[in-house]
Amino acid sequence: MREVKKHDFTKPPRKGSVVLYPIAWMLSLPSMKFHKLRIEKTGMEGLKPPYLLLSNHMSFYDLKVMMRSIFPYRANYVAAIDAFALHNRFIMRGLGCIAKRKFLPMDLTLIRNMKHTLEKNKKICVLYPEARFSLDGKRSYIPQSVAKLCKMLKVPVVTLNMHGCYVANPQFSQKKYTHVPLTAEMKQIVTVQELESISVEELSERIVSNLQYDDYTYQLENNIRITDPERAKGLNSLLYQCPHCYTEHAMTASGTTLRCEHCGKAYEYTELGELRALDGETEFSHIPDWFDWQRENVRKEVAEGKYHFEDEVEVWTLPNARKFYRHGNGKIVHTVDGFKLTCSAYGKDVDEFWKGQDTYGCHIEYNFRGKADVIDISRADESYWLYPSKKDVITKISLAFEEIFKLRSKSDLLR
């Protein structure tokens, strides 16, 4: 097979096209007006670029909210390399995006490009510290390295905390509910002067506290009703374990009902985003509570050394921002020691192993591009996109990555 060119991450980001930006603003305006977007700004009086904007991440609506929040300024955005391949690399570059592979440490090249944004382009630099869309509508892990980066960049730090974006476009179903009202708080949380004296620990706490959210609570408190008769579709991918009989990967979802095919226990997914048992006790009415219960069960498996998963996978790679490459089937084995992939790619045998302490997470997508659930795990020069053959397993794999890292690194991960 002809050698495939790898992505060049060293290219400095562009300022953002004076043609594309107004188009992007105009395209986001009707949607945000329809969603009745309200933005509350604190400590932003007189603040102009350059500054670092840290935003929470729930769905594609985030991008439109963010663009309305920073208007009329342009920005450079740290974006996953798959976004370049899926949404046209020329447009992404034209909008000032900075490519990065997910869940890899912040390397010197990325830091250099962010500094270029702030010092040369004099623009806002946007970073999504959760590194992925929220799976359950709550904040994901934000590593302490984000605070270290803030001190290194030496510019004001602003947070953008959005609400409603998950409810409007939940990851498990990928449906879009356009009547959901959106709100956001934009706040300068540290000035340049404060950066010199504030500790990494204190700054990290400040970042985390200002990016707290729970979109299911937001939905309930604001009486946002989702009346879609198929609103539960896909929920089995997220809530894969039955809290009644503890069976895994036997949940099904259709219409407004989530059901365990092993014991028959069924739950209604209400218009207000709650769960209600159709018969007997409702173990978890709040979806994030069910999700956290699954995490605790994975944590126990990991701590006891019992966690083990293996499967045959369909293997694709994304070496650059151009396209995905298909490579046939391979095998994955995931244990408390790490994640192993064996396959063939580009005509060569691949035997990759990520130690448990190498990465604090993996990227997953439900029904990716309408095909199937997928796991994305990367090296510096390659991303492997792996489609498991087993049903509804990627959520547990994602949780296991986090809990194994937590155990191996003795980290206070997922505060």
Side-chain angles (χ1 to χ4, degrees):
M1 183 176 182
R2 183 168 57 89
E3 186 175 352
V4 176
K5 186 178 181 180
K6 303 290 186 177
H7 186 75
D8 182 7
F9 289 95
T10 63
K11 286 184 179 179
R14 297 174 182 172
K15 287 187 175 182
S17 169
V18 294
V19 175
L20 288 176
Y21 248 88
I23 294 174
W25 279 327
M26 292 304 295
L27 288 175
S28 68
L29 181 59
S31 176
M32 293 299 96
K33 188 173 182 179
F34 197 75
H35 279 282
K36 301 177 182 179
L37 172 64
R38 292 185 295 105
I39 304 170
E40 178 184 328
K41 296 187 177 182
T42 304
M44 298 298 295
E45 299 83 2
L47 180 63
K48 295 181 180 180
Y51 61 80
L52 178 64
L53 177 65
L54 304 177
S55 175
N56 64 336
H57 211 18
M58 293 184 281
S59 75
F60 285 112
Y61 282 120
D62 300 354
L63 308 177
K64 295 180 180 181
V65 175
M66 181 269 296
M67 294 197 78
R68 297 306 303 167
S69 299
I70 67 173
F71 181 85
Y73 300 111
R74 288 178 284 168
N76 289 123
Y77 320 88
V78 178
I81 191 171
D82 52 287
F84 284 70
L86 293 169
H87 304 295
N88 189 296
R89 65 186 187 279
F90 298 110
I91 291 177
M92 295 292 285
R93 282 277 294 167
L95 287 171
C97 294
I98 306 169
K100 185 189 186 300
R101 298 193 190 275
K102 287 187 174 81
F103 294 108
L104 291 182
M106 290 189 185
D107 58 79
L108 292 176
T109 300
L110 176 62
I111 295 171
R112 190 181 304 117
N113 283 334
M114 294 179 73
K115 289 177 73 68
H116 183 92
T117 290
L118 299 165
E119 297 173 2
K120 302 293 184 184
N121 293 351
K122 301 293 184 181
K123 301 297 180 187
I124 301 165
C125 185
V126 179
L127 178 69
Y128 295 93
E130 294 169 287
R132 64 177 174 197
F133 291 142
S134 170
L135 299 180
D136 64 338
K138 287 181 66 177
R139 178 185 58 78
S140 303
Y141 169 56
I142 298 176
Q144 198 174 80
S145 58
V146 174
K148 295 178 182 178
L149 175 68
C150 292
K151 289 180 71 70
M152 187 185 305
L153 294 176
K154 299 179 181 179
V155 293
V157 179
V158 174
T159 54
L160 180 65
N161 196 17
M162 296 171 276
H163 309 281
C165 295
Y166 181 94
V167 176
N169 185 200
Q171 290 310 296
F172 67 83
S173 74
Q174 300 174 353
K175 290 187 176 183
K176 293 184 178 179
Y177 301 114
T178 53
H179 65 281
V180 175
L182 306 179
T183 63
E185 297 107 30
M186 190 177 189
K187 181 180 181 180
Q188 182 179 189
I189 64 167
V190 64
T191 65
V192 175
Q193 292 74 22
E194 287 180 290
L195 277 174
E196 296 179 5
S197 57
I198 192 171
S199 69
V200 169
E201 293 75 18
E202 184 182 351
L203 179 53
S204 183
E205 288 295 334
R206 196 175 294 186
I207 291 168
V208 168
S209 64
N210 280 282
L211 290 178
Q212 290 283 12
Y213 62 94
D214 181 336
D215 239 34
Y216 280 108
T217 297
Y218 173 83
Q219 178 182 0
L220 191 62
E221 290 178 347
N222 289 275
N223 196 37
I224 300 169
R225 294 185 176 272
I226 304 298
T227 58
D228 182 354
E230 293 291 330
R231 59 182 173 270
K233 185 178 179 181
L235 190 54
N236 52 289
S237 298
L238 177 68
L239 305 179
Y240 62 85
Q241 185 175 16
C242 175
H244 181 69
C245 69
Y246 287 25
T247 302
E248 296 182 354
H249 318 305
M251 305 300 293
T252 60
S254 62
T256 62
T257 304
L258 178 69
R259 183 185 306 275
C260 175
E261 292 300 310
H262 183 261
C263 71
K265 186 76 179 276
Y267 307 83
E268 178 193 2
Y269 183 38
T270 73
E271 293 182 354
L272 289 173
E274 293 186 299
L275 292 169
R276 182 182 302 136
L278 297 183
D279 184 35
E281 177 192 3
T282 298
E283 292 88 352
F284 303 104
S285 62
H286 192 51
I287 284 178
D289 291 343
W290 187 325
F291 187 81
D292 289 343
W293 171 76
Q294 291 177 156
R295 177 187 294 282
E296 286 298 325
N297 294 336
V298 174
R299 180 177 295 155
K300 184 178 179 181
E301 280 187 51
V302 168
E304 294 176 352
K306 295 178 180 179
Y307 175 77
H308 182 97
F309 177 81
E310 60 181 85
D311 195 11
E312 185 176 279
V313 293
E314 184 178 312
V315 179
W316 293 69
T317 59
L318 183 62
N320 52 46
R322 296 171 181 269
K323 70 173 196 176
F324 292 83
Y325 293 80
R326 172 78 166 87
H327 299 286
N329 291 344
K331 182 180 180 181
I332 59 173
V333 178
H334 196 198
T335 70
V336 292
D337 294 321
F339 186 88
K340 182 179 177 63
L341 167 67
T342 52
C343 64
S344 177
Y346 312 112
K348 300 177 181 179
D349 289 338
V350 173
D351 190 349
E352 290 274 16
F353 184 71
W354 289 260
K355 293 180 182 178
Q357 63 270 30
D358 282 351
T359 177
Y360 65 87
C362 72
H363 173 221
I364 63 172
E365 292 272 1
Y366 302 121
N367 195 31
F368 183 59
R369 296 199 288 181
K371 176 180 171 60
D373 292 351
V374 69
I375 306 162
D376 162 31
I377 186 166
S378 297
R379 293 295 192 192
D381 63 345
E382 187 65 88
S383 293
Y384 296 95
W385 290 72
L386 312 171
Y387 293 88
S389 61
K390 294 179 181 176
K391 173 181 176 287
D392 295 342
V393 296
I394 64 171
T395 301
K396 185 174 183 180
I397 291 171
S398 174
L399 292 173
F401 261 94
E402 295 169 356
E403 294 307 319
I404 290 167
F405 177 84
K406 182 178 178 180
L407 177 71
R408 293 295 184 183
S409 65
K410 296 181 174 58
S411 166
D412 63 342
L413 187 68
L414 302 173
R415 290 174 298 160

